[in-house]
Amino acid sequence: MKCTKLVFVSVLSVAVACAQTAQRFTSPYLSAARQASAWLDTLAVPQPTGTAWLVSQGGQASYVTTGVDAGAAGIGLFYLRLYQATGDQAALAKARSAADFVDSQYRAGNMQGDYDWFSGVASGGDFFLTLYAATGDTTFRDRATFAGDWLVSNAIADSNGYHWEFPGLTNVYTSLAHGSGGVALFLTQLYEVTGNATYLQYAEGAVQWLRQYIVTLGDSAIGWKRLTTDSGVYNGWCGGSAGVYLILKELWRATGKSDYHDLMVATARGLVTAADWSCSGGGAYSASGGCPAGEEPLAAWGYGVPSNSDYPEIMCHGVASIVIALFDAFHVTGDESFLDPARAGVRWLQSVAQVQPQGQRWEHIYQTGLLEPGFLTGTASVGYAFLRFATMDTGARTVDGRAAVAHRWPPNPQYLRVAEAAGEYLLSIADHPQPGQARWLTYILPKPAWASDPVGYPLEYDSGWYTGAAGIGIFFLDLYDAERRVPAAPDEFSHMNP
């Protein structure tokens, strides 16, 4: 029973099957996710329509918002995921209530976060599509269409295509999290659901506009700028090439156009070119000879090119997301020039793990002392990546037509053990303000001096998908499914998860 698969099926039969499985299988990961849910309940703020949640407890004055990153859409995704894993109808009702709030804000003209994918209308639209795929309820498809129509009507058209800008901001973003690329991703998916060619027109126009910001990195190798004013490329998923790779893949799958495939592969080649190589035993790496004396090569990526030896480890803009893109490029093409650096990136992540009394943890940025638990920003993000690696590096290439088959089974047990070590660490640092509740500090203390808060600044516990309990809860639910040997959802590259 693939309880996580987002397709049109009998919601009742899936819920019953998942609930029966959950009743037979006890797990500390499921328990932690339920405790996160109980804590999130204390932050719920009923609205005239639907429910919102405070973005944090402690820290600066909290507020409610709509986006995937810190708002109701991201928390709604957690509750939907809890429903999928357990069949808990109350969790599904909370996901629906989150969607009611987001939609009510949009229809009132309150476009919090404006257009962007992380916090704006593109994120809410994708949340609606996810609910539609999970439930078949056309209300959510219609809400996604409302979001898509708003984005189309607010696009900026010029000779290069379509793009979107934040009012009053000088910076113009390009890629997935904050840029026109994220809008293109949502509009492509909306086209696939509705068949409305206008959405595809604007998605393709956004990528056409984005092509101005390609940087050539070598023979058939490219990277992408994060801001229109940048001089160099940005590598990570949130703002750079790893995210653009997924945008191009979605357009290729939707249209079958070879141009998107070629750009996607050239982007993956650019990520290979951007890698910084080293040797596991400390020897000198050479491009021609590799590592001496049988040492295994390691690969890491900085924020940009050149890297300046600033190596983020996490999903948002770090090595974890780049490795996922490279594994996928191998499955799409069969070219082992993608597989070798992907595995070298895995080895680097394993080499920088910090062993703890319970489990392992990872820094946000290598050797900076900045430690977070979050789903996109900390140990949960690296643990999530290893769950993805486990189904992508099983020793075989599997391709179905023009798209890689997303899940390969059984998963790689070595990678599963690393993901479990991340989960064990997160269990060990959970704070329990009341029996049956769990939350996590946004930053592990003590913070490095350069990131320290003023004296007396209160502790902060975030609620959302990006850094808080909702995202960590999703990671625990994915671990729970892996424990039960429930295959991951076939779209393991879904930007919603992530």
Side-chain angles (χ1 to χ4, degrees):
M1 170 56 65
K2 299 179 182 179
C3 301
T4 63
K5 191 172 182 180
L6 302 184
V7 294
F8 297 153
V9 295
S10 167
V11 174
L12 178 60
S13 64
V14 171
V16 170
C18 289
Q20 290 173 344
T21 303
Q23 289 169 0
R24 294 195 302 267
F25 194 98
T26 59
S27 164
Y29 304 131
L30 177 60
S31 177
R34 284 176 164 154
Q35 290 177 20
S37 173
W39 179 71
L40 287 169
D41 287 345
T42 70
L43 273 62
V45 183
Q47 303 292 305
T49 303
T51 305
W53 286 259
L54 297 175
V55 300
S56 66
Q57 191 173 73
Q60 296 175 319
S62 196
Y63 57 94
V64 302
T65 189
T66 56
V68 162
D69 57 349
I75 292 174
L77 284 173
F78 163 68
Y79 282 119
L80 176 62
R81 191 68 187 81
L82 183 60
Y83 162 72
Q84 291 169 326
T86 66
D88 183 351
Q89 290 289 336
L92 179 60
K94 292 171 186 175
R96 287 178 174 273
S97 190
D100 291 344
F101 168 68
V102 175
D103 179 65
S104 72
Q105 294 299 294
Y106 292 172
R107 292 180 189 272
N110 186 13
M111 306 303 189
Q112 299 171 27
D114 204 76
Y115 67 87
D116 92 335
W117 188 87
F118 253 25
S119 58
V121 174
S123 73
D126 257 337
F127 175 44
F128 299 146
L129 286 181
T130 303
L131 277 166
Y132 174 55
T135 67
D137 186 339
T138 56
T139 298
F140 299 120
R141 182 196 61 198
D142 296 343
R143 290 174 174 180
T145 298
F146 181 88
D149 291 344
W150 185 89
L151 288 164
V152 166
S153 66
N154 284 274
I156 300 170
D158 60 28
S159 59
N160 294 303
Y162 303 109
H163 72 284
W164 291 260
E165 298 180 9
F166 291 111
L169 273 189
T170 302
N171 288 339
V172 178
Y173 293 85
T174 62
S175 187
L176 196 155
H178 302 301
S180 298
V183 178
L185 188 59
F186 164 58
L187 291 178
T188 302
Q189 294 172 324
L190 187 58
Y191 160 72
E192 292 178 286
V193 168
T194 65
N196 186 331
T198 298
Y199 301 135
L200 181 62
Q201 172 193 334
Y202 277 77
E204 292 194 284
V207 170
Q208 183 61 36
W209 175 85
L210 189 60
R211 291 176 72 152
Q212 303 171 79
Y213 305 106
I214 290 174
V215 177
T216 301
L217 297 177
D219 184 22
S220 301
I222 62 174
W224 301 79
K225 297 180 181 181
R226 175 173 175 261
L227 298 173
T228 59
T229 52
D230 285 348
S231 58
V233 306
Y234 196 86
N235 292 320
W237 176 88
C238 280
S241 296
V244 175
Y245 174 92
L246 299 181
I247 297 162
L248 294 167
K249 182 180 178 182
E250 192 68 27
L251 269 171
W252 172 53
R253 292 172 64 176
T255 67
K257 293 181 179 178
S258 60
D259 187 40
Y260 296 128
H261 172 275
D262 295 345
L263 280 173
M264 179 181 74
V265 173
T267 300
R269 291 196 186 106
L271 290 171
V272 173
T273 301
D276 285 351
W277 292 84
S278 61
C279 297
S280 57
Y285 178 86
S286 73
S288 58
C291 292
E295 294 179 28
E296 289 189 308
L298 311 176
W301 287 261
Y303 284 91
V305 180
S307 69
N308 299 314
S309 300
D310 53 349
Y311 302 124
E313 301 172 11
I314 58 168
M315 277 293 300
C316 184
H317 41 253
V319 172
S321 61
I322 293 166
V323 170
I324 286 177
L326 290 175
F327 273 134
D328 189 69
F330 165 69
H331 281 281
V332 169
T333 66
D335 186 342
E336 293 199 359
S337 68
F338 300 125
L339 180 62
D340 292 340
R343 288 176 169 167
V346 171
R347 288 192 293 270
W348 184 82
L349 285 170
Q350 290 173 309
S351 75
V352 301
Q354 298 181 358
V355 177
Q356 299 296 293
Q358 187 172 333
Q360 293 181 331
R361 69 184 186 185
W362 284 261
E363 294 175 287
H364 185 114
I365 308 167
Y366 178 55
Q367 290 189 332
T368 62
L370 184 62
L371 293 158
E372 302 179 46
F375 191 44
L376 271 288
T377 59
T379 292
S381 78
V382 179
Y384 174 86
F386 272 89
L387 283 177
R388 303 283 70 78
F389 303 160
T391 59
M392 303 182 78
D393 190 12
T394 58
R397 174 187 174 236
T398 310
V399 172
D400 179 14
R402 23 181 199 93
V405 171
H407 78 258
R408 287 157 285 279
W409 207 255
N412 185 316
Q414 175 189 354
Y415 296 160
L416 281 181
R417 286 193 294 272
V418 178
E420 289 166 353
E424 292 303 308
Y425 170 72
L426 291 167
L427 289 173
S428 74
I429 65 167
D431 178 68
H432 303 281
Q434 295 291 333
Q437 297 179 9
R439 62 183 185 177
W440 288 263
L441 277 172
T442 305
Y443 296 96
I444 307 303
L445 301 177
K447 294 169 73 173
W450 59 270
S452 292
D453 295 318
V455 174
Y457 191 87
L459 299 179
E460 186 170 17
Y461 301 87
D462 284 352
S463 62
W465 173 85
Y466 185 66
T467 59
I472 294 169
I474 289 173
F475 171 53
F476 279 132
L477 291 168
D478 287 349
L479 275 174
Y480 170 60
D481 276 350
E483 266 190 324
R484 297 182 296 156
R485 298 299 185 259
V486 173
D491 183 12
E492 66 185 281
F493 282 95
S494 168
H495 49 283
M496 297 299 279
N497 189 22

